[in-house]
Amino acid sequence: MSLIKCQNLSRAYGSKMALNNVDLTLEAGHPIALVGPNGAGKTTLFSLLLGYIRPTSGSIEVLGYAPGHPSLRNNIGALPQDAKLDPDFTLEQQLSLFAQLRGMSAKTAKREAARVLSLVQLSDALKQKPTALSHGMSKRVAIAQALIGSPKLILLDEPTAGIDPANARIIRELIAQLSDSTTFIVSSHNLDELERLCDQVVFLEQGALKQQVSIAAGNHASHYYTLQLQQA
Ligand code: ATP
């Protein structure tokens, strides 16, 4: 069974086609890059996969289920582009609350909060509130939240955008480290970074799937990306 299968997938906002007849099949494995210019439809695709919005037409399956199916609750994690942490709760409190929302007991949830914070190298900040953290560190906490319950699929919407190189490196290393057990789909405008991290690139442009290429086969994402833009 494929990790993701989209058939003739379209999503409109009023008269604007954010995604237009996308046929896309992705298998579990190495990280996958999702790229495209602003407004290409990347966030819309993530929102559809998460079941936050419904397709206007066509179908979408994740691990054989329609997005939003209860069986996917613990199998798909996400870092939204505008991830926000609650300034009033410690990291331990908010991560364990999220873990409880995913069905864990209070005790297990607290352990899980410590585990995921350790994965993003922020164990020392367990009892701190987000206000004590830099932007890059906050991003790592939001990624820690996506790791709760060890989902099979994790969607990261621009995980390193606007953050300093040291935090960005930690995030890249984490993705590489966990990709044996989790498939990451990473949206980013940083093609060099994606080339180093991912095996496969999915190009969206104006809502259409333009290319799906394997970088492992020696292709260069930036080359294809430029080519697509020239042809547009
Ligand atoms: P970026 O790289 O800037 O984040 P993106 O590739 O994630 O862009 P989307 O956010 O999916 O692109 O947007 C695709 C298109 O759909 C854009 O034209 C956008 O303006 C439109 N769109 C997205 N969300 C909405 C919405 N809630 N209401 C109306 N139009 C929307």
PDB file of all heavy atoms in Angstrom, residues 85 90-96 109-128 133 137-145 147-148 170 174:
ATOM      1  N   LEU A  85       3.376  28.378  19.873  1.00  0.00           N
ATOM      2  CA  LEU A  85       3.397  27.728  21.183  1.00  0.00           C
ATOM      3  C   LEU A  85       2.655  28.637  22.156  1.00  0.00           C
ATOM      4  O   LEU A  85       2.678  29.859  22.012  1.00  0.00           O
ATOM      5  CB  LEU A  85       4.844  27.526  21.644  1.00  0.00           C
ATOM      6  CG  LEU A  85       5.732  26.703  20.715  1.00  0.00           C
ATOM      7  CD1 LEU A  85       7.187  26.766  21.165  1.00  0.00           C
ATOM      8  CD2 LEU A  85       5.254  25.254  20.665  1.00  0.00           C
ATOM      9  N   THR A  90       4.571  25.578  30.261  1.00  0.00           N
ATOM     10  CA  THR A  90       5.940  25.091  30.056  1.00  0.00           C
ATOM     11  C   THR A  90       5.919  24.134  28.860  1.00  0.00           C
ATOM     12  O   THR A  90       4.859  23.624  28.467  1.00  0.00           O
ATOM     13  CB  THR A  90       6.463  24.322  31.285  1.00  0.00           C
ATOM     14  OG1 THR A  90       5.698  23.131  31.425  1.00  0.00           O
ATOM     15  CG2 THR A  90       6.393  25.167  32.548  1.00  0.00           C
ATOM     16  N   LEU A  91       7.112  23.855  28.346  1.00  0.00           N
ATOM     17  CA  LEU A  91       7.185  22.943  27.195  1.00  0.00           C
ATOM     18  C   LEU A  91       6.658  21.569  27.584  1.00  0.00           C
ATOM     19  O   LEU A  91       5.948  20.913  26.825  1.00  0.00           O
ATOM     20  CB  LEU A  91       8.631  22.830  26.699  1.00  0.00           C
ATOM     21  CG  LEU A  91       9.305  24.150  26.319  1.00  0.00           C
ATOM     22  CD1 LEU A  91      10.639  23.887  25.642  1.00  0.00           C
ATOM     23  CD2 LEU A  91       8.418  25.001  25.426  1.00  0.00           C
ATOM     24  N   GLU A  92       6.998  21.143  28.797  1.00  0.00           N
ATOM     25  CA  GLU A  92       6.518  19.840  29.267  1.00  0.00           C
ATOM     26  C   GLU A  92       4.985  19.817  29.302  1.00  0.00           C
ATOM     27  O   GLU A  92       4.360  18.855  28.846  1.00  0.00           O
ATOM     28  CB  GLU A  92       7.069  19.555  30.670  1.00  0.00           C
ATOM     29  CG  GLU A  92       6.639  18.212  31.223  1.00  0.00           C
ATOM     30  CD  GLU A  92       7.215  17.972  32.611  1.00  0.00           C
ATOM     31  OE1 GLU A  92       7.044  18.835  33.497  1.00  0.00           O
ATOM     32  OE2 GLU A  92       7.842  16.920  32.798  1.00  0.00           O
ATOM     33  N   GLN A  93       4.396  20.911  29.800  1.00  0.00           N
ATOM     34  CA  GLN A  93       2.933  20.958  29.895  1.00  0.00           C
ATOM     35  C   GLN A  93       2.288  20.903  28.517  1.00  0.00           C
ATOM     36  O   GLN A  93       1.362  20.134  28.281  1.00  0.00           O
ATOM     37  CB  GLN A  93       2.492  22.235  30.623  1.00  0.00           C
ATOM     38  CG  GLN A  93       2.703  22.165  32.123  1.00  0.00           C
ATOM     39  CD  GLN A  93       2.551  23.541  32.781  1.00  0.00           C
ATOM     40  OE1 GLN A  93       2.738  24.589  32.163  1.00  0.00           O
ATOM     41  NE2 GLN A  93       2.214  23.528  34.058  1.00  0.00           N
ATOM     42  N   GLN A  94       2.790  21.738  27.587  1.00  0.00           N
ATOM     43  CA  GLN A  94       2.081  21.740  26.307  1.00  0.00           C
ATOM     44  C   GLN A  94       2.327  20.500  25.469  1.00  0.00           C
ATOM     45  O   GLN A  94       1.419  20.010  24.802  1.00  0.00           O
ATOM     46  CB  GLN A  94       2.258  23.001  25.487  1.00  0.00           C
ATOM     47  CG  GLN A  94       3.607  23.571  25.298  1.00  0.00           C
ATOM     48  CD  GLN A  94       3.438  25.037  24.841  1.00  0.00           C
ATOM     49  OE1 GLN A  94       2.783  25.305  23.849  1.00  0.00           O
ATOM     50  NE2 GLN A  94       4.016  25.961  25.574  1.00  0.00           N
ATOM     51  N   LEU A  95       3.528  19.941  25.567  1.00  0.00           N
ATOM     52  CA  LEU A  95       3.771  18.722  24.791  1.00  0.00           C
ATOM     53  C   LEU A  95       2.994  17.552  25.383  1.00  0.00           C
ATOM     54  O   LEU A  95       2.465  16.706  24.659  1.00  0.00           O
ATOM     55  CB  LEU A  95       5.272  18.420  24.735  1.00  0.00           C
ATOM     56  CG  LEU A  95       6.090  19.406  23.882  1.00  0.00           C
ATOM     57  CD1 LEU A  95       7.576  19.140  24.036  1.00  0.00           C
ATOM     58  CD2 LEU A  95       5.687  19.337  22.412  1.00  0.00           C
ATOM     59  N   SER A  96       2.928  17.477  26.730  1.00  0.00           N
ATOM     60  CA  SER A  96       2.192  16.341  27.289  1.00  0.00           C
ATOM     61  C   SER A  96       0.684  16.497  27.087  1.00  0.00           C
ATOM     62  O   SER A  96      -0.017  15.512  26.890  1.00  0.00           O
ATOM     63  CB  SER A  96       2.555  16.036  28.750  1.00  0.00           C
ATOM     64  OG  SER A  96       2.585  17.171  29.501  1.00  0.00           O
ATOM     65  N   ALA A 109       2.179  10.474  28.675  1.00  0.00           N
ATOM     66  CA  ALA A 109       2.311  11.731  27.932  1.00  0.00           C
ATOM     67  C   ALA A 109       3.501  12.545  28.442  1.00  0.00           C
ATOM     68  O   ALA A 109       4.237  13.149  27.664  1.00  0.00           O
ATOM     69  CB  ALA A 109       1.021  12.530  28.041  1.00  0.00           C
ATOM     70  N   LYS A 110       3.704  12.532  29.746  1.00  0.00           N
ATOM     71  CA  LYS A 110       4.818  13.287  30.331  1.00  0.00           C
ATOM     72  C   LYS A 110       6.159  12.689  29.882  1.00  0.00           C
ATOM     73  O   LYS A 110       7.104  13.403  29.531  1.00  0.00           O
ATOM     74  CB  LYS A 110       4.705  13.205  31.859  1.00  0.00           C
ATOM     75  CG  LYS A 110       5.254  14.399  32.579  1.00  0.00           C
ATOM     76  CD  LYS A 110       4.802  14.381  34.024  1.00  0.00           C
ATOM     77  CE  LYS A 110       5.657  15.337  34.828  1.00  0.00           C
ATOM     78  NZ  LYS A 110       5.328  15.351  36.234  1.00  0.00           N
ATOM     79  N   ARG A 111       6.189  11.353  29.842  1.00  0.00           N
ATOM     80  CA  ARG A 111       7.407  10.672  29.364  1.00  0.00           C
ATOM     81  C   ARG A 111       7.655  10.983  27.892  1.00  0.00           C
ATOM     82  O   ARG A 111       8.781  11.203  27.462  1.00  0.00           O
ATOM     83  CB  ARG A 111       7.242   9.160  29.552  1.00  0.00           C
ATOM     84  CG  ARG A 111       8.118   8.589  30.649  1.00  0.00           C
ATOM     85  CD  ARG A 111       8.342   7.097  30.530  1.00  0.00           C
ATOM     86  NE  ARG A 111       7.255   6.349  29.936  1.00  0.00           N
ATOM     87  CZ  ARG A 111       6.349   5.660  30.624  1.00  0.00           C
ATOM     88  NH1 ARG A 111       6.393   5.639  31.930  1.00  0.00           N
ATOM     89  NH2 ARG A 111       5.416   4.972  30.015  1.00  0.00           N
ATOM     90  N   GLU A 112       6.557  10.999  27.134  1.00  0.00           N
ATOM     91  CA  GLU A 112       6.665  11.271  25.692  1.00  0.00           C
ATOM     92  C   GLU A 112       7.160  12.708  25.457  1.00  0.00           C
ATOM     93  O   GLU A 112       7.958  12.961  24.551  1.00  0.00           O
ATOM     94  CB  GLU A 112       5.303  11.034  25.018  1.00  0.00           C
ATOM     95  CG  GLU A 112       5.280  11.224  23.514  1.00  0.00           C
ATOM     96  CD  GLU A 112       6.098  10.187  22.742  1.00  0.00           C
ATOM     97  OE1 GLU A 112       6.798   9.361  23.357  1.00  0.00           O
ATOM     98  OE2 GLU A 112       6.042  10.236  21.502  1.00  0.00           O
ATOM     99  N   ALA A 113       6.680  13.639  26.279  1.00  0.00           N
ATOM    100  CA  ALA A 113       7.122  15.040  26.153  1.00  0.00           C
ATOM    101  C   ALA A 113       8.636  15.117  26.346  1.00  0.00           C
ATOM    102  O   ALA A 113       9.342  15.784  25.578  1.00  0.00           O
ATOM    103  CB  ALA A 113       6.403  15.915  27.178  1.00  0.00           C
ATOM    104  N   ALA A 114       9.141  14.406  27.344  1.00  0.00           N
ATOM    105  CA  ALA A 114      10.584  14.413  27.606  1.00  0.00           C
ATOM    106  C   ALA A 114      11.347  13.751  26.453  1.00  0.00           C
ATOM    107  O   ALA A 114      12.412  14.223  26.037  1.00  0.00           O
ATOM    108  CB  ALA A 114      10.866  13.695  28.920  1.00  0.00           C
ATOM    109  N   ARG A 115      10.773  12.680  25.907  1.00  0.00           N
ATOM    110  CA  ARG A 115      11.459  11.957  24.819  1.00  0.00           C
ATOM    111  C   ARG A 115      11.587  12.849  23.575  1.00  0.00           C
ATOM    112  O   ARG A 115      12.673  12.971  23.007  1.00  0.00           O
ATOM    113  CB  ARG A 115      10.668  10.680  24.467  1.00  0.00           C
ATOM    114  CG  ARG A 115      11.326   9.813  23.403  1.00  0.00           C
ATOM    115  CD  ARG A 115      10.447   8.652  22.979  1.00  0.00           C
ATOM    116  NE  ARG A 115       9.368   9.053  22.100  1.00  0.00           N
ATOM    117  CZ  ARG A 115       9.469   9.170  20.779  1.00  0.00           C
ATOM    118  NH1 ARG A 115      10.606   8.881  20.181  1.00  0.00           N
ATOM    119  NH2 ARG A 115       8.441   9.553  20.056  1.00  0.00           N
ATOM    120  N   VAL A 116      10.485  13.488  23.189  1.00  0.00           N
ATOM    121  CA  VAL A 116      10.556  14.273  21.945  1.00  0.00           C
ATOM    122  C   VAL A 116      11.402  15.537  22.119  1.00  0.00           C
ATOM    123  O   VAL A 116      12.098  15.955  21.186  1.00  0.00           O
ATOM    124  CB  VAL A 116       9.152  14.602  21.355  1.00  0.00           C
ATOM    125  CG1 VAL A 116       8.457  13.336  20.897  1.00  0.00           C
ATOM    126  CG2 VAL A 116       8.283  15.388  22.317  1.00  0.00           C
ATOM    127  N   LEU A 117      11.390  16.095  23.328  1.00  0.00           N
ATOM    128  CA  LEU A 117      12.262  17.270  23.551  1.00  0.00           C
ATOM    129  C   LEU A 117      13.726  16.865  23.497  1.00  0.00           C
ATOM    130  O   LEU A 117      14.581  17.619  23.040  1.00  0.00           O
ATOM    131  CB  LEU A 117      11.964  17.903  24.905  1.00  0.00           C
ATOM    132  CG  LEU A 117      11.021  19.097  24.926  1.00  0.00           C
ATOM    133  CD1 LEU A 117      11.066  19.772  26.268  1.00  0.00           C
ATOM    134  CD2 LEU A 117      11.324  20.114  23.822  1.00  0.00           C
ATOM    135  N   SER A 118      14.003  15.667  23.972  1.00  0.00           N
ATOM    136  CA  SER A 118      15.381  15.177  23.909  1.00  0.00           C
ATOM    137  C   SER A 118      15.804  14.963  22.450  1.00  0.00           C
ATOM    138  O   SER A 118      16.937  15.261  22.061  1.00  0.00           O
ATOM    139  CB  SER A 118      15.478  13.895  24.752  1.00  0.00           C
ATOM    140  OG  SER A 118      16.325  12.984  24.182  1.00  0.00           O
ATOM    141  N   LEU A 119      14.867  14.503  21.615  1.00  0.00           N
ATOM    142  CA  LEU A 119      15.202  14.293  20.199  1.00  0.00           C
ATOM    143  C   LEU A 119      15.586  15.610  19.518  1.00  0.00           C
ATOM    144  O   LEU A 119      16.441  15.628  18.632  1.00  0.00           O
ATOM    145  CB  LEU A 119      13.999  13.679  19.461  1.00  0.00           C
ATOM    146  CG  LEU A 119      13.769  12.186  19.672  1.00  0.00           C
ATOM    147  CD1 LEU A 119      12.444  11.752  19.065  1.00  0.00           C
ATOM    148  CD2 LEU A 119      14.916  11.375  19.073  1.00  0.00           C
ATOM    149  N   VAL A 120      14.955  16.705  19.922  1.00  0.00           N
ATOM    150  CA  VAL A 120      15.306  17.996  19.313  1.00  0.00           C
ATOM    151  C   VAL A 120      16.376  18.729  20.136  1.00  0.00           C
ATOM    152  O   VAL A 120      16.606  19.934  19.968  1.00  0.00           O
ATOM    153  CB  VAL A 120      14.066  18.902  19.073  1.00  0.00           C
ATOM    154  CG1 VAL A 120      13.083  18.250  18.112  1.00  0.00           C
ATOM    155  CG2 VAL A 120      13.363  19.263  20.376  1.00  0.00           C
ATOM    156  N   GLN A 121      17.010  17.989  21.030  1.00  0.00           N
ATOM    157  CA  GLN A 121      18.127  18.492  21.855  1.00  0.00           C
ATOM    158  C   GLN A 121      17.729  19.682  22.728  1.00  0.00           C
ATOM    159  O   GLN A 121      18.465  20.659  22.844  1.00  0.00           O
ATOM    160  CB  GLN A 121      19.321  18.852  20.971  1.00  0.00           C
ATOM    161  CG  GLN A 121      19.829  17.658  20.160  1.00  0.00           C
ATOM    162  CD  GLN A 121      20.977  18.031  19.242  1.00  0.00           C
ATOM    163  OE1 GLN A 121      21.816  18.858  19.587  1.00  0.00           O
ATOM    164  NE2 GLN A 121      21.025  17.414  18.083  1.00  0.00           N
ATOM    165  N   LEU A 122      16.547  19.584  23.324  1.00  0.00           N
ATOM    166  CA  LEU A 122      16.100  20.669  24.200  1.00  0.00           C
ATOM    167  C   LEU A 122      15.652  20.142  25.569  1.00  0.00           C
ATOM    168  O   LEU A 122      14.795  20.761  26.219  1.00  0.00           O
ATOM    169  CB  LEU A 122      14.952  21.446  23.538  1.00  0.00           C
ATOM    170  CG  LEU A 122      15.365  22.427  22.448  1.00  0.00           C
ATOM    171  CD1 LEU A 122      14.150  22.994  21.728  1.00  0.00           C
ATOM    172  CD2 LEU A 122      16.215  23.564  23.020  1.00  0.00           C
ATOM    173  N   SER A 123      16.256  19.059  26.011  1.00  0.00           N
ATOM    174  CA  SER A 123      15.859  18.475  27.301  1.00  0.00           C
ATOM    175  C   SER A 123      15.956  19.496  28.424  1.00  0.00           C
ATOM    176  O   SER A 123      15.134  19.505  29.345  1.00  0.00           O
ATOM    177  CB  SER A 123      16.743  17.280  27.640  1.00  0.00           C
ATOM    178  OG  SER A 123      16.470  16.241  26.745  1.00  0.00           O
ATOM    179  N   ASP A 124      16.964  20.353  28.350  1.00  0.00           N
ATOM    180  CA  ASP A 124      17.173  21.336  29.429  1.00  0.00           C
ATOM    181  C   ASP A 124      16.016  22.328  29.549  1.00  0.00           C
ATOM    182  O   ASP A 124      15.864  22.980  30.579  1.00  0.00           O
ATOM    183  CB  ASP A 124      18.453  22.149  29.180  1.00  0.00           C
ATOM    184  CG  ASP A 124      19.681  21.272  29.330  1.00  0.00           C
ATOM    185  OD1 ASP A 124      19.523  20.136  29.827  1.00  0.00           O
ATOM    186  OD2 ASP A 124      20.778  21.721  28.952  1.00  0.00           O
ATOM    187  N   ALA A 125      15.241  22.451  28.480  1.00  0.00           N
ATOM    188  CA  ALA A 125      14.179  23.471  28.470  1.00  0.00           C
ATOM    189  C   ALA A 125      12.814  22.918  28.890  1.00  0.00           C
ATOM    190  O   ALA A 125      11.809  23.632  28.815  1.00  0.00           O
ATOM    191  CB  ALA A 125      14.071  24.079  27.072  1.00  0.00           C
ATOM    192  N   LEU A 126      12.793  21.675  29.367  1.00  0.00           N
ATOM    193  CA  LEU A 126      11.530  20.996  29.696  1.00  0.00           C
ATOM    194  C   LEU A 126      10.611  21.852  30.561  1.00  0.00           C
ATOM    195  O   LEU A 126       9.402  21.934  30.337  1.00  0.00           O
ATOM    196  CB  LEU A 126      11.861  19.682  30.416  1.00  0.00           C
ATOM    197  CG  LEU A 126      10.765  18.634  30.570  1.00  0.00           C
ATOM    198  CD1 LEU A 126      10.308  18.123  29.216  1.00  0.00           C
ATOM    199  CD2 LEU A 126      11.245  17.475  31.438  1.00  0.00           C
ATOM    200  N   LYS A 127      11.187  22.504  31.572  1.00  0.00           N
ATOM    201  CA  LYS A 127      10.358  23.265  32.530  1.00  0.00           C
ATOM    202  C   LYS A 127      10.248  24.747  32.157  1.00  0.00           C
ATOM    203  O   LYS A 127       9.735  25.552  32.920  1.00  0.00           O
ATOM    204  CB  LYS A 127      10.954  23.164  33.948  1.00  0.00           C
ATOM    205  CG  LYS A 127      11.183  21.740  34.438  1.00  0.00           C
ATOM    206  CD  LYS A 127       9.872  21.084  34.821  1.00  0.00           C
ATOM    207  CE  LYS A 127      10.121  19.649  35.335  1.00  0.00           C
ATOM    208  NZ  LYS A 127       8.886  18.879  35.456  1.00  0.00           N
ATOM    209  N   GLN A 128      10.770  25.095  30.978  1.00  0.00           N
ATOM    210  CA  GLN A 128      10.716  26.509  30.578  1.00  0.00           C
ATOM    211  C   GLN A 128       9.472  26.823  29.768  1.00  0.00           C
ATOM    212  O   GLN A 128       8.850  25.934  29.176  1.00  0.00           O
ATOM    213  CB  GLN A 128      11.953  26.852  29.741  1.00  0.00           C
ATOM    214  CG  GLN A 128      13.213  26.927  30.586  1.00  0.00           C
ATOM    215  CD  GLN A 128      14.434  27.250  29.744  1.00  0.00           C
ATOM    216  OE1 GLN A 128      14.339  27.531  28.559  1.00  0.00           O
ATOM    217  NE2 GLN A 128      15.587  27.194  30.375  1.00  0.00           N
ATOM    218  N   LEU A 133      12.687  31.092  24.835  1.00  0.00           N
ATOM    219  CA  LEU A 133      13.387  30.448  23.708  1.00  0.00           C
ATOM    220  C   LEU A 133      13.572  31.386  22.524  1.00  0.00           C
ATOM    221  O   LEU A 133      12.756  32.284  22.293  1.00  0.00           O
ATOM    222  CB  LEU A 133      12.573  29.241  23.224  1.00  0.00           C
ATOM    223  CG  LEU A 133      12.212  28.178  24.253  1.00  0.00           C
ATOM    224  CD1 LEU A 133      11.354  27.106  23.595  1.00  0.00           C
ATOM    225  CD2 LEU A 133      13.469  27.564  24.865  1.00  0.00           C
ATOM    226  N   MET A 137      14.778  27.814  18.375  1.00  0.00           N
ATOM    227  CA  MET A 137      14.468  26.808  19.403  1.00  0.00           C
ATOM    228  C   MET A 137      12.958  26.533  19.456  1.00  0.00           C
ATOM    229  O   MET A 137      12.532  25.392  19.606  1.00  0.00           O
ATOM    230  CB  MET A 137      14.973  27.275  20.772  1.00  0.00           C
ATOM    231  CG  MET A 137      16.494  27.239  20.891  1.00  0.00           C
ATOM    232  SD  MET A 137      17.028  28.303  22.235  1.00  0.00           S
ATOM    233  CE  MET A 137      17.258  27.139  23.533  1.00  0.00           C
ATOM    234  N   SER A 138      12.152  27.594  19.314  1.00  0.00           N
ATOM    235  CA  SER A 138      10.690  27.407  19.315  1.00  0.00           C
ATOM    236  C   SER A 138      10.277  26.502  18.158  1.00  0.00           C
ATOM    237  O   SER A 138       9.390  25.660  18.292  1.00  0.00           O
ATOM    238  CB  SER A 138       9.965  28.746  19.161  1.00  0.00           C
ATOM    239  OG  SER A 138      10.304  29.583  20.216  1.00  0.00           O
ATOM    240  N   LYS A 139      10.934  26.696  17.035  1.00  0.00           N
ATOM    241  CA  LYS A 139      10.637  25.851  15.871  1.00  0.00           C
ATOM    242  C   LYS A 139      10.955  24.386  16.194  1.00  0.00           C
ATOM    243  O   LYS A 139      10.210  23.476  15.828  1.00  0.00           O
ATOM    244  CB  LYS A 139      11.473  26.351  14.695  1.00  0.00           C
ATOM    245  CG  LYS A 139      11.044  25.881  13.343  1.00  0.00           C
ATOM    246  CD  LYS A 139       9.728  26.449  12.907  1.00  0.00           C
ATOM    247  CE  LYS A 139       9.817  27.099  11.560  1.00  0.00           C
ATOM    248  NZ  LYS A 139       8.600  27.713  11.111  1.00  0.00           N
ATOM    249  N   ARG A 140      12.068  24.175  16.907  1.00  0.00           N
ATOM    250  CA  ARG A 140      12.421  22.796  17.280  1.00  0.00           C
ATOM    251  C   ARG A 140      11.371  22.201  18.222  1.00  0.00           C
ATOM    252  O   ARG A 140      11.067  21.009  18.139  1.00  0.00           O
ATOM    253  CB  ARG A 140      13.813  22.764  17.923  1.00  0.00           C
ATOM    254  CG  ARG A 140      14.919  22.806  16.868  1.00  0.00           C
ATOM    255  CD  ARG A 140      16.210  23.363  17.414  1.00  0.00           C
ATOM    256  NE  ARG A 140      16.777  22.593  18.486  1.00  0.00           N
ATOM    257  CZ  ARG A 140      17.741  23.056  19.302  1.00  0.00           C
ATOM    258  NH1 ARG A 140      18.229  24.273  19.127  1.00  0.00           N
ATOM    259  NH2 ARG A 140      18.234  22.308  20.251  1.00  0.00           N
ATOM    260  N   VAL A 141      10.819  23.015  19.107  1.00  0.00           N
ATOM    261  CA  VAL A 141       9.767  22.514  20.001  1.00  0.00           C
ATOM    262  C   VAL A 141       8.527  22.135  19.180  1.00  0.00           C
ATOM    263  O   VAL A 141       7.900  21.098  19.411  1.00  0.00           O
ATOM    264  CB  VAL A 141       9.385  23.560  21.075  1.00  0.00           C
ATOM    265  CG1 VAL A 141       8.245  23.047  21.935  1.00  0.00           C
ATOM    266  CG2 VAL A 141      10.585  23.910  21.938  1.00  0.00           C
ATOM    267  N   ALA A 142       8.187  22.979  18.204  1.00  0.00           N
ATOM    268  CA  ALA A 142       7.018  22.682  17.360  1.00  0.00           C
ATOM    269  C   ALA A 142       7.261  21.387  16.572  1.00  0.00           C
ATOM    270  O   ALA A 142       6.334  20.604  16.352  1.00  0.00           O
ATOM    271  CB  ALA A 142       6.746  23.854  16.423  1.00  0.00           C
ATOM    272  N   ILE A 143       8.511  21.157  16.187  1.00  0.00           N
ATOM    273  CA  ILE A 143       8.824  19.895  15.504  1.00  0.00           C
ATOM    274  C   ILE A 143       8.715  18.734  16.495  1.00  0.00           C
ATOM    275  O   ILE A 143       8.206  17.662  16.171  1.00  0.00           O
ATOM    276  CB  ILE A 143      10.220  19.965  14.845  1.00  0.00           C
ATOM    277  CG1 ILE A 143      10.172  20.960  13.682  1.00  0.00           C
ATOM    278  CG2 ILE A 143      10.670  18.587  14.360  1.00  0.00           C
ATOM    279  CD1 ILE A 143      11.507  21.247  13.042  1.00  0.00           C
ATOM    280  N   ALA A 144       9.165  18.967  17.732  1.00  0.00           N
ATOM    281  CA  ALA A 144       9.041  17.927  18.770  1.00  0.00           C
ATOM    282  C   ALA A 144       7.580  17.511  18.907  1.00  0.00           C
ATOM    283  O   ALA A 144       7.268  16.323  19.038  1.00  0.00           O
ATOM    284  CB  ALA A 144       9.580  18.451  20.101  1.00  0.00           C
ATOM    285  N   GLN A 145       6.698  18.486  18.838  1.00  0.00           N
ATOM    286  CA  GLN A 145       5.266  18.174  18.952  1.00  0.00           C
ATOM    287  C   GLN A 145       4.812  17.260  17.805  1.00  0.00           C
ATOM    288  O   GLN A 145       4.030  16.341  18.003  1.00  0.00           O
ATOM    289  CB  GLN A 145       4.456  19.468  18.952  1.00  0.00           C
ATOM    290  CG  GLN A 145       2.967  19.224  19.086  1.00  0.00           C
ATOM    291  CD  GLN A 145       2.210  20.500  19.397  1.00  0.00           C
ATOM    292  OE1 GLN A 145       2.468  21.153  20.399  1.00  0.00           O
ATOM    293  NE2 GLN A 145       1.285  20.859  18.545  1.00  0.00           N
ATOM    294  N   LEU A 147       6.533  15.068  16.454  1.00  0.00           N
ATOM    295  CA  LEU A 147       7.134  13.741  16.627  1.00  0.00           C
ATOM    296  C   LEU A 147       6.391  12.886  17.662  1.00  0.00           C
ATOM    297  O   LEU A 147       6.679  11.693  17.802  1.00  0.00           O
ATOM    298  CB  LEU A 147       8.590  13.877  17.097  1.00  0.00           C
ATOM    299  CG  LEU A 147       9.554  14.637  16.196  1.00  0.00           C
ATOM    300  CD1 LEU A 147      10.917  14.772  16.861  1.00  0.00           C
ATOM    301  CD2 LEU A 147       9.700  13.919  14.853  1.00  0.00           C
ATOM    302  N   ILE A 148       5.458  13.502  18.374  1.00  0.00           N
ATOM    303  CA  ILE A 148       4.759  12.782  19.445  1.00  0.00           C
ATOM    304  C   ILE A 148       4.027  11.560  18.888  1.00  0.00           C
ATOM    305  O   ILE A 148       3.286  11.666  17.901  1.00  0.00           O
ATOM    306  CB  ILE A 148       3.790  13.741  20.193  1.00  0.00           C
ATOM    307  CG1 ILE A 148       4.617  14.628  21.130  1.00  0.00           C
ATOM    308  CG2 ILE A 148       2.718  12.976  20.960  1.00  0.00           C
ATOM    309  CD1 ILE A 148       3.847  15.712  21.822  1.00  0.00           C
ATOM    310  N   ILE A 170      20.512  21.504  13.201  1.00  0.00           N
ATOM    311  CA  ILE A 170      19.949  20.533  14.141  1.00  0.00           C
ATOM    312  C   ILE A 170      18.676  19.908  13.557  1.00  0.00           C
ATOM    313  O   ILE A 170      18.460  18.696  13.637  1.00  0.00           O
ATOM    314  CB  ILE A 170      19.664  21.196  15.518  1.00  0.00           C
ATOM    315  CG1 ILE A 170      20.989  21.556  16.189  1.00  0.00           C
ATOM    316  CG2 ILE A 170      18.834  20.283  16.411  1.00  0.00           C
ATOM    317  CD1 ILE A 170      20.862  22.359  17.468  1.00  0.00           C
ATOM    318  N   LEU A 174      18.153  15.999  12.543  1.00  0.00           N
ATOM    319  CA  LEU A 174      17.048  15.243  13.146  1.00  0.00           C
ATOM    320  C   LEU A 174      16.253  14.493  12.066  1.00  0.00           C
ATOM    321  O   LEU A 174      15.929  13.311  12.218  1.00  0.00           O
ATOM    322  CB  LEU A 174      16.134  16.213  13.893  1.00  0.00           C
ATOM    323  CG  LEU A 174      14.876  15.589  14.482  1.00  0.00           C
ATOM    324  CD1 LEU A 174      15.226  14.837  15.756  1.00  0.00           C
ATOM    325  CD2 LEU A 174      13.834  16.644  14.761  1.00  0.00           C
TER     326      LEU A 174
END
